[in-house]
Amino acid sequence: MAISLTELWVILGCGAITVLSRALPFVFVKQMTMPSWLINFLTFVPITIMTALCCQSLFVANPGHLATLNVANCLAAIPATLAGVLTKSLLMVVVIGIMAMAVLRYFSIGG
Amino acid sequence: MNPSLTFKSGVRDVLPTVFGYIGVGLAFGIVAHTSHLSLLVVAGMSFIVYAGSAQFIITSMLLLHDPLSGIFISTFLVNSRMILMSTSLAQYFRHESLFKNLLIGSLVTDETFALAMNKQNKTKGKLSFAWQSGANLVAYLVWGFATVIGAMLGGLIADPTRFGFDFALTAMFIGLVYLQLISDRHLGISLQLYVMAFVALVYYLAIGVMSQNFALLAATVAGCLFGMGMKKWR
């Protein structure tokens, strides 16, 4: 159980940075009336951010060159998506996704 | 997911996402252990910084003895998407007190944000402090304890990816984005599909020339502007 001075500063500093990024927008939104273009912009944030987060695991970055596909993740995404279409249950998507990935790894498919 | 907005239903609604937290949390603990971070530091990072992917980056930068300023800037950049998410989510809590807003804001994550957006599709655009706190608290505690347990197990689990648990987080986002797509009646499916395709294209092109975190932000902002344009002109 040891903590160095640097580690302490990193935890406190980064903690302050993350809590401010998260909480300050709540203060601003509560105090101000938002212009309609901003509200319109924000209605697209959920779908765009979730799509981008998915892309982060489906593409592999090759700096300076075009990205390639993360083959294993893309393959496992197929049964996971199907599970979503069939059951509309988040739990089923996650369970089927994990099982699909375990099978892919067992047969060493997709790297 | 039903329309109930109690604390208890918040706890129940967040449970499917917990798999993602446990898998990645254990992985973080194991990585932190192999990077020679003590249990105290792991707990401090998870319970005070509470920043998912940024914690991995902080750990590797600590290992490389990067300067504090560099670590702070990276943390801000990785988490700058939180500003967009919080601004979006805060609109549902304007009627609550400032103190309650700060409490919700302090514990928002990618996952609880996405969950809340799914939820409000079921409740005619309403969210409650009790529901959001239930979801936030479970996510926070599960993440913290999963990382600490991962650090304690450390050397024991050689390769947690063998059982596919690393895919839990990706699967969770796939599920959340699909549920968002089919249930956001305000935007409609076809407009959202165009926006999703555009985001994927921008992200794909952007990661060749910038870091993944910048690409994520660029694709998100570009996607929102594209969506606004399509809604207006088509």
Side-chain angles (χ1 to χ4, degrees):
Chain A
M1 284 300 223
I3 183 165
S4 72
L5 198 58
T6 314
E7 288 167 340
L8 185 66
W9 276 117
V10 164
I11 289 171
L12 294 179
C14 294
I17 290 165
T18 51
V19 87
L20 288 178
S21 324
R22 283 181 175 128
L24 276 188
F26 278 80
V27 179
F28 288 125
V29 171
K30 186 163 172 58
Q31 311 293 346
M32 297 186 314
T33 23
M34 305 238 278
S36 61
W37 65 263
L38 183 57
I39 293 176
N40 194 8
F41 178 89
L42 292 172
T43 56
F44 288 96
V45 168
I47 193 76
T48 51
I49 233 161
M50 288 182 222
T51 306
L53 285 165
C54 285
C55 291
Q56 223 168 18
S57 8
L58 298 180
F59 291 127
V60 181
N62 307 307
H65 300 276
L66 280 180
T68 43
L69 289 178
N70 181 326
V71 178
N73 279 0
C74 287
L75 287 176
I78 297 169
T81 308
L82 281 177
V85 175
L86 294 175
T87 65
K88 296 190 172 54
S89 149
L90 189 56
L91 186 61
M92 285 312 286
V93 177
V94 174
V95 170
I96 298 290
I98 292 176
M99 284 165 55
M101 186 51 94
V103 171
L104 289 172
R105 291 267 160 71
Y106 183 78
F107 292 107
S108 308
I109 301 167
Chain B
M1 208 186 280
N2 61 41
S4 163
L5 280 169
T6 58
F7 184 86
K8 230 172 113 182
S9 48
V11 171
R12 197 177 48 230
D13 289 342
V14 82
L15 286 181
T17 70
V18 159
F19 284 90
Y21 279 100
I22 295 176
V24 181
L26 286 175
F28 174 73
I30 294 166
V31 169
H33 173 85
T34 52
S35 310
H36 313 293
L37 296 187
S38 69
L39 276 184
L40 190 63
V41 177
V42 172
M45 275 221 237
S46 295
F47 286 109
I48 297 174
V49 184
Y50 188 42
S53 54
Q55 288 180 215
F56 284 92
I57 293 163
I58 295 169
T59 303
S60 70
M61 291 182 85
L62 271 175
L63 199 64
L64 295 169
H65 299 290
D66 280 327
L68 275 179
S69 57
I71 298 180
F72 290 160
I73 292 169
S74 304
T75 304
F76 176 75
L77 288 179
V78 175
N79 270 323
S80 48
R81 67 177 185 281
M82 294 307 309
I83 298 171
L84 274 179
M85 280 189 243
S86 281
T87 311
S88 196
L89 184 63
Q91 294 176 79
Y92 296 88
F93 297 100
R94 289 184 68 169
H95 59 283
E96 302 280 9
S97 70
L98 187 61
F99 181 66
K100 284 184 174 174
N101 268 278
L102 285 173
L103 281 184
I104 292 173
S106 310
L107 292 183
V108 180
T109 62
D110 294 342
E111 294 81 0
T112 56
F113 165 77
L115 195 69
M117 292 301 127
N118 274 197
K119 184 73 180 184
Q120 59 84 29
N121 286 322
K122 298 260 186 323
T123 61
K124 301 195 176 75
K126 279 201 179 61
L127 291 172
S128 75
F129 173 75
W131 181 85
Q132 190 71 53
S133 301
N136 280 355
L137 269 180
V138 170
Y140 178 66
L141 294 175
V142 168
W143 171 255
F145 286 111
T147 59
V148 171
I149 291 168
M152 289 196 290
L153 295 177
L156 297 179
I157 306 174
D159 185 13
T161 64
R162 220 178 92 201
F163 305 106
F165 282 107
D166 55 319
F167 190 69
L169 204 68
T170 308
M172 185 185 67
F173 281 121
I174 290 172
L176 285 169
V177 81
Y178 176 73
L179 294 174
Q180 183 69 24
L181 172 70
I182 58 168
S183 52
D184 193 332
R185 300 214 165 74
H186 176 67
L187 295 178
I189 288 186
S190 66
L191 175 59
Q192 289 188 93
L193 280 175
Y194 282 120
V195 171
M196 286 173 71
F198 186 77
V199 168
L201 179 70
V202 173
Y203 182 82
Y204 168 76
L205 295 174
I207 44 174
V209 289
M210 57 179 88
S211 80
Q212 296 207 23
N213 299 305
F214 270 123
L216 188 110
L217 272 184
T220 301
V221 172
C224 290
L225 294 174
F226 177 79
M228 284 169 82
M230 274 206 76
K231 205 168 136 193
K232 194 167 177 184
W233 304 117
R234 87 177 172 160

